[in-house]
Amino acid sequence: SAVISQKPSRDICQRGTSLTIQCQVDSQVTMMFWYRQQPGQSLTLIATANQGSEATYESGFVIDKFPISRPNLTFSTLTVSNMSPEDSSIYLCSVEDDENYGYTFGSGTRLTVV
Amino acid sequence: EDKVVQSPLSLVVHEGDTVTLNCSYEVTNFRSLLWYKQEKKAPTFLFMLTSSGIEKKSGRLSSILDKKELFSILNITATQTGDSAVYLCAVLFYGQNFVFGPGTRLSVLP
């Protein structure tokens, strides 16, 4: 199955700044997904990123706040812009694993905004 | 290397059957184990297990953790077609965040 390298694993950021999270996959994948995980809650899908097209955002998430890049079939970035303490969360990327008909997740980025 | 293994990877049952899904892990700095159900979009949180031997229940679903043997099981009784999904096991580590298992794809036939 695919292996994802997600960076950074954690960061503490100042209010009003931006953080870019990277996910590198060891194989080519069509779709990559970005999630937010808040304590004790289900993962919330932020957006789906296909290579070569604009990301598709879920209700409540906008491109200006969470711009996504997908320059090729193995890499994607999510930027959390103009951060506030409410953005403190774990952010995860995921890919659909065609080989095992499941999903592979990155290890997550633990973001704390102060 | 930290890893999470789930078995079986896929399972087909008929409505009314009882299923047991397995999750084992090899870790350092274990913090808790989480079960999710993924149907279409984002995985839905089911349980978080931190202590050994304490069963958590929600309707027809239940789960328990064995920290000595490093595994957890998720039981679903009287399965329904709506239980068809991928069930994900994830381990939360201190300092490393998550490691997800590959998931068990459950198909419940009418």
Side-chain angles (χ1 to χ4, degrees), chain A:
Chain A
S1 60
V3 176
I4 300 176
S5 173
Q6 183 170 346
K7 296 179 181 179
S9 61
R10 58 179 58 233
D11 208 341
I12 300 173
C13 300
Q14 294 292 322
R15 178 193 304 252
T17 63
S18 298
L19 175 72
T20 295
I21 302 167
Q22 302 179 1
C23 275
Q24 177 75 52
V25 190
D26 69 345
S27 58
Q28 293 184 339
V29 293
T30 303
M31 297 172 70
M32 293 183 73
F33 307 89
W34 287 97
Y35 296 93
R36 183 168 68 187
Q37 164 79 78
Q38 293 173 310
Q41 296 184 22
S42 300
L43 271 67
T44 302
L45 181 64
I46 298 172
T48 302
N50 287 336
Q51 192 268 335
S53 62
E54 292 288 326
T56 302
Y57 288 83
E58 297 299 306
S59 175
F61 297 96
V62 295
I63 187 171
D64 290 345
K65 175 69 176 177
F66 297 100
I68 288 172
S69 78
R70 185 82 203 275
N72 56 54
L73 290 172
T74 64
F75 188 78
S76 179
T77 67
L78 170 77
T79 298
V80 186
S81 303
N82 188 26
M83 289 183 286
S84 66
E86 291 70 37
D87 294 321
S88 297
S89 188
I90 296 178
Y91 292 83
L92 291 141
C93 65
S94 172
V95 301
E96 197 163 12
D97 189 334
D98 294 337
E99 183 178 326
N100 293 318
Y101 303 101
Y103 297 89
T104 300
F105 285 80
S107 58
T109 297
R110 186 182 295 272
L111 170 62
T112 303
V113 183
V114 297

Side-chain angles (χ1 to χ4, degrees), chain B residues 8 11 25 27 40 42-43 50 54 57 63-64 68 87 99 104-105 107:
Chain B
L11 185 59
Y25 57 93
V27 307
K40 293 182 178 179
T50 305
I54 300 174
K57 293 196 71 171
S63 184
I64 196 163
K68 181 180 177 183
Y87 290 84
V99 175
T104 294
R105 182 171 291 273
S107 298

Side-chain angles (χ1 to χ4, degrees), chain B residues 34-54:
Chain B
L34 297 89
W35 283 98
Y36 295 90
K37 177 183 180 181
Q38 179 154 21
E39 294 173 273
K40 293 182 178 179
K41 291 184 176 179
T44 302
F45 172 80
L46 296 175
F47 299 109
M48 183 169 74
L49 304 160
T50 305
S51 302
S52 258
I54 300 174

Side-chain angles (χ1 to χ4, degrees), chain B residues 2 15-16 18 41 49 59 99-100 103 105-106:
Chain B
D2 297 323
E15 276 192 315
T18 293
K41 291 184 176 179
L49 304 160
V99 175
F100 277 80
R105 182 171 291 273
L106 175 65

